[in-house]
């Protein structure tokens, strides 16, 4: 977990644009991808070079969904053409249950975006949601045969409030423990026992790493507590390099206890202030699913590349703590995901596998450094964590609150 602007982790938010652009409902073929050809006009239909049936559909407040006049079952493409003067989001849904089959966001005025879905027996309607305007629902279209791809009931912001509040309480307890462990680290440094300080550093750091889904609500405090020297003019000797990694660098590069007293005191002060302020903090419930994905996305990008190692060789330990943090989010989202995400059981099994794999690199209080892994161990670790990142993208998408009006 690293602060944007203080560490190297600025790409944290890039998944948001990908999720916003295209809905991927737990592996559903709702890709919103272009097909390398001229867009069809609304009302046109036929088979394109990709071999799939294409139907042009109009996107506008007054003519939402117009053009879909000859429904067919099976895998097909809708070319959504925005004829209005403002960008719009389009959802293909069951008009009765409002279960979502596919979504494309940010269709600009006069532009066409494609939505690929598999449709079977059932009723369907397009819902058009223009920016700064009321939603409009197109005519209901019925398909009389075939089997459709899975759909998911939309998650609302209201649905996410209870799990977000419960998660905030969990974070509060985690911050209290982080302060306690940081005080132990500071005390070891204050009495000049650097061996004890090196032993105390890792539990304190891992406790903070487990709180990864809350980083956005931590604000600038995250940078003071867990920032790196990336982008700092003085590098590791810059006065703005503070927190866990500043202390890690000193402990594993021969710095004296005297030189580490101020950074240790600063860490305790920053963590204590964050703990005390947390009661008034408010996480955005709409971000909870996205954060579950981002924790491990950053793990792969920074921990598994060693970019946050300042001497302790504890990247795999941090990755394991990040798995704990991801699990904490998923546990609270599970009631929402249980009947929406068909891949939930497989995701949980993959989480178990990843935890077992990383636990194998722990030897008492020590962890195997990244550069001590064999090639096969490194490849397996990258593959297991990378697979989890892909699966968690579906969680982020399914828990992205849908606009309904």
């Amino acid at each position: 977990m690293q602060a944007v602007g203080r560490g190297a982790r600025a790409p944290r938010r890039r998944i948001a644009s990908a999720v916003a652009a295209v809905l991927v409902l737990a592996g559903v073929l709702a890709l919103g991808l272009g097909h390398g050809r001229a867009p069809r006009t609304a009302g046109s239909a036929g088979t394109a070079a990709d071999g799939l049936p294409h139907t042009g559909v109009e996107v506008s407040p007054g003519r939402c969904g117009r053009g879909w006049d000859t429904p067919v079952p099976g895998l097909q493409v809708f070319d959504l053409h925005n004829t209005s003067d403002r960008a719009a989001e389009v959802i293909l849904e069951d008009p009765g249950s409002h279960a979502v089959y596919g979504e494309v966001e940010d269709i600009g005025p006069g532009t066409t975006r494609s939505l690929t879905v598999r449709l079977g027996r059932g009723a369907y309607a397009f819902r058009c949601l223009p920016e700064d305007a009321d939603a409009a629902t197109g005519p209901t279209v019925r398909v009389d045969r075939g089997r459709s791809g899975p759909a998911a009931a939309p998650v609302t912001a209201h649905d996410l409030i209870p799990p977000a509040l419960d998660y905030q309480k969990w974070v509060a307890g985690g911050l209290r423990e982080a302060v306690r462990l940081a005080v132990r680290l500071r005390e070891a440094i204050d009495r000049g026992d650097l061996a004890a300080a090196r032993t105390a550093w890792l539990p304190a750091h891992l406790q903070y790493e487990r709180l990864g889904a809350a980083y956005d609500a931590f604000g600038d405090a995250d940078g003071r507590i867990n920032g790196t020297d990336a982008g700092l003019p003085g590098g590791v000797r810059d006065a703005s390099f503070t927190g866990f990694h500043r202390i890690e660098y000193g402990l594993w590069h021969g710095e004296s206890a005297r030189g580490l007293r101020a950074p240790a005191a600063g860490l305790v002060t920053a963590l204590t202030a964050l703990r005390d302020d947390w009661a008034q903090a408010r996480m955005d419930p709409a971000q909870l699913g996205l954060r579950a994905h981002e924790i491990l996305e950053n793990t792969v990008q920074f921990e598994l590349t060693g970019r946050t190692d300042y001497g302790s060789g504890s990247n795999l330990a941090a990755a394991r703590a990040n798995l704990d943090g991801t699990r904490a989010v998923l546990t609270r989202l599970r009631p929402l995901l249980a009947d929406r995400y068909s891949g939930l059981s497989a995701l949980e099994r993959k989480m178990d596998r990843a935890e077992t794999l990383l636990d194998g690199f722990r030897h008492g209080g020590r962890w195997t450094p990244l550069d001590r892994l064999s090639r096969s161990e490194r490849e397996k670790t990258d593959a297991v964590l990378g697979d989890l990142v892909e699966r968690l993208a579906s969680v982020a998408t399914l828990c992205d609150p849908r606009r309904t009006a």
Side-chain angles (χ1 to χ4, degrees):
M1 183 174 63
Q2 212 68 15
V4 172
R6 286 295 312 280
R9 305 196 183 189
R12 282 180 186 272
R13 292 184 175 82
R14 72 178 184 273
I15 185 63
S17 60
V19 170
V22 179
L23 180 67
V24 185
L25 289 173
V28 183
L29 290 170
L31 304 179
L33 300 176
H35 292 271
R37 51 166 186 77
R40 294 181 179 274
T41 58
S44 65
T47 302
D50 57 15
L52 298 177
H54 282 247
T55 302
V57 175
E58 187 169 342
V59 177
S60 68
R63 293 180 57 81
C64 179
R66 301 294 176 179
W68 189 16
D69 302 320
T70 55
V72 296
L75 187 63
Q76 57 197 281
V77 179
F78 292 101
D79 298 309
L80 308 172
H81 183 64
N82 186 356
T83 59
S84 71
D85 60 357
R86 63 189 70 195
E89 171 187 351
V90 176
I91 296 173
L92 179 62
E93 65 179 15
D94 180 321
S97 67
H98 299 293
V100 177
Y101 288 89
E103 175 186 20
V104 179
E105 293 191 2
D106 299 324
I107 306 176
T111 63
T112 300
R113 298 277 298 282
S114 297
L115 175 67
T116 305
V117 291
R118 184 183 299 278
L119 301 182
R121 184 187 301 275
Y124 305 90
F126 282 102
R127 179 184 288 268
C128 301
L129 300 104
E131 285 185 356
D132 303 319
D134 293 339
T137 301
T140 297
V141 174
R142 298 185 181 279
V143 176
D144 59 7
R145 66 187 188 280
R147 182 178 180 181
S148 66
V155 170
T156 67
H158 181 76
D159 293 331
L160 290 165
I161 291 174
L165 289 175
D166 187 52
Y167 180 74
Q168 279 194 239
K169 293 178 182 177
W170 180 81
V171 170
L175 285 171
R176 289 192 295 271
E177 179 66 4
V179 170
R180 186 185 71 81
L181 293 171
V183 168
R184 179 182 296 175
L185 170 62
R186 183 197 65 193
E187 290 173 346
I189 290 173
D190 285 346
R191 66 176 181 266
D193 190 344
L194 295 184
R198 283 188 287 271
T199 299
W201 180 87
L202 184 59
H205 184 236
L206 297 185
Q207 178 60 30
Y208 187 78
E209 284 286 336
R210 293 185 182 96
L211 311 179
Y215 83 90
D216 197 44
F218 288 169
D220 292 341
D222 188 44
R224 292 189 292 272
I225 293 167
N226 207 36
T228 72
D229 70 321
L232 298 179
V236 295
R237 304 198 182 281
D238 197 291
S240 295
F241 181 36
T242 62
F244 280 113
H245 292 302
R246 165 65 182 88
I247 298 169
E248 177 188 10
Y249 179 82
L251 286 173
W252 275 271
H253 287 84
E255 189 169 355
S256 68
R258 181 178 180 180
L260 288 171
R261 284 172 186 157
L267 173 63
V268 172
T269 297
L271 276 170
T272 301
L274 180 58
R275 179 202 63 190
D276 295 344
D277 292 343
W278 186 247
Q280 285 73 46
R282 290 293 178 267
M283 287 185 62
D284 181 0
Q287 297 298 309
L288 199 58
L290 179 60
R291 298 293 176 251
H293 173 274
E294 287 182 327
I295 294 172
L296 289 190
E297 183 185 45
N298 281 284
T299 301
V300 169
Q301 187 175 0
F302 298 98
E303 302 301 345
L304 297 191
T305 59
R307 291 168 66 180
T308 53
D309 180 19
Y310 285 84
S312 67
S314 61
N315 288 116
L316 292 172
R320 182 61 176 85
N322 294 161
L323 279 173
D324 288 340
T326 301
R327 181 82 75 174
V329 178
L330 288 177
T331 297
R332 286 152 181 84
L333 291 175
R334 199 179 197 288
L336 296 178
L337 294 170
D339 59 358
R340 289 178 171 88
Y341 183 26
S342 60
L344 180 59
S345 295
L347 170 61
E348 292 174 334
R349 289 195 300 273
K350 296 290 186 178
M351 289 284 295
D352 292 341
R353 180 188 178 197
E355 290 170 357
T356 299
L357 173 66
L358 291 179
D359 284 343
F361 301 127
R362 178 170 53 195
H363 313 284
R366 297 181 178 273
W367 288 76
T368 303
L370 275 177
D371 60 8
R372 300 286 181 85
L373 295 183
S374 67
R375 180 173 179 176
S376 62
E377 289 173 330
R378 187 66 173 267
E379 290 175 348
K380 184 176 182 180
T381 302
D382 290 345
V384 168
L385 273 294
D387 176 66
L388 276 179
V389 171
E390 292 183 12
R391 292 173 183 273
L392 286 163
S394 293
V395 172
T397 300
L398 287 162
C399 293
D400 184 24
R402 316 251 81 80
R403 179 184 161 191
T404 59

